[in-house]
Amino acid sequence: MRRQLVAGNWKMNASSEMTGSLLTGVLENLPADRDIAVFPPFPYITQAVAETAGTPVMVGAQNVAAEESGAFTGEVSAAMLADIGCSMALVGHSERRALYGERDYDVLVKVRQLMANGITAVVCVGETIEQRKAVREESVVSEQLSLLIAELSNADWEKIIIAYEPVWAIGTGETATPEQAQAMHAFIRSELKKVSDTVAEKTRILYGGSVKAASAAELFSQPDIDGGLVGGASLDAAEFTAICRA
Ligand code: 13P
């Protein structure tokens, strides 16, 4: 049985005060039957790790350097993330792909850095509205997964979570229908069979894109949806808590 995970990607939104109050709200209402993770901006990770110490809440980063260490001004390495207590990191978020030119090869290299440091990679995939209109959503997602499927070992996959985030649903208020999301999640799981049946069965696949408390329960009850990656709604403790318990 895959344990569900609800993760909050705060994107570039936070302050010390907000980090404290958001986490207080989340910790007051933790569900017992699900994993919960938060992805604050880099400067607030240490605070979040301290404030969630001794609780089941995991803390992750929104990005990681492709390089190990050295003269890479402005970058943050996987070793540093491990050192400050991060157990997860997002890789290949659609905003990183669209705004910062991140390619599938960069995603693979970053995943490898995370693996080498014992950090779980949450790899984000998803098609644009043009690609969906052209009925290319499956081929786009298949392409985004193909290097990982070709290059990573069965053991590596124990440290990978996939997040399906259709670009047209991110920050738009337009959630994929449970049927659309389930269909893509089932497709992703069938792609993972190329690695092995075990990997296909065990890998958690999260849905992301305008998840709200009102839509979460139906999405999370689909057989191949193992939780959510929540953006905007994760910045409101009451809303995020309701999603975590949906
Ligand atoms: P929204 O929930 O704001 O649509 O963002 C989704 C997302 O990009 C999470 O990584």
Side-chain angles (χ1 to χ4, degrees):
M1 243 339 244
R2 297 178 298 269
R3 191 172 157 89
Q4 290 213 338
L5 165 67
V6 178
N9 172 11
W10 297 0
K11 307 194 180 183
M12 200 171 73
N13 303 288
S15 64
S16 310
E17 195 192 338
M18 185 179 140
T19 300
S21 61
L22 255 178
L23 290 173
T24 303
V26 170
L27 291 171
E28 273 168 6
N29 272 296
L30 278 184
D33 55 346
R34 271 197 191 136
D35 290 337
I36 304 299
V38 292
F39 293 78
F42 286 128
Y44 304 103
I45 289 175
T46 303
Q47 182 187 347
V49 168
E51 288 182 7
T52 57
T55 78
V57 173
M58 292 171 286
V59 180
Q62 298 172 18
N63 186 25
V64 64
E67 300 83 8
E68 203 175 311
S69 67
F72 301 101
T73 302
E75 291 294 292
V76 175
S77 74
M80 294 171 191
L81 295 180
D83 186 40
I84 62 171
C86 269
S87 53
M88 293 186 169
L90 303 181
V91 188
H93 190 279
S94 71
E95 288 150 18
R96 304 265 352 144
R97 292 178 190 262
L99 304 172
Y100 303 97
E102 229 165 85
R103 297 280 160 261
D104 297 329
Y105 179 73
D106 307 307
V107 171
L108 172 67
V109 172
K110 290 181 175 197
V111 166
R112 285 218 162 107
Q113 290 290 349
L114 295 172
M115 308 269 103
N117 288 278
I119 297 174
T120 296
V122 181
V123 178
C124 306
V125 297
E127 80 287 355
T128 64
I129 192 63
E130 293 77 20
Q131 291 163 336
R132 179 163 279 266
K133 279 184 181 155
V135 202
R136 288 184 50 227
E137 65 272 19
E138 289 190 352
S139 62
V140 167
V141 169
S142 171
E143 180 67 28
Q144 289 170 333
L145 291 170
S146 64
L147 261 182
L148 300 174
I149 287 173
E151 297 291 332
L152 299 178
S153 69
N154 273 36
D156 291 335
W157 280 93
E158 288 172 21
K159 285 276 193 188
I160 295 195
I161 293 168
I162 302 291
Y164 169 57
E165 300 205 305
V167 178
W168 47 272
I170 295 179
T172 59
E174 190 187 344
T175 317
T177 65
E179 295 73 28
Q180 284 171 322
Q182 165 56 27
M184 181 58 86
H185 283 232
F187 172 73
I188 292 170
R189 210 172 289 295
S190 72
E191 290 289 285
L192 295 180
K193 288 197 172 177
K194 294 175 184 169
V195 186
S196 73
D197 286 349
T198 311
V199 166
E201 179 55 37
K202 286 196 169 166
T203 301
R204 291 190 280 186
I205 308 175
L206 312 182
Y207 168 79
S210 297
V211 175
K212 301 278 183 292
S215 56
E218 208 183 344
L219 284 162
F220 298 170
S221 66
Q222 302 301 311
D224 289 296
I225 300 184
D226 306 312
L229 181 55
V230 185
S234 73
L235 301 172
D236 177 326
E239 182 78 9
F240 185 62
T241 298
I243 295 171
C244 291
R245 305 183 76 93

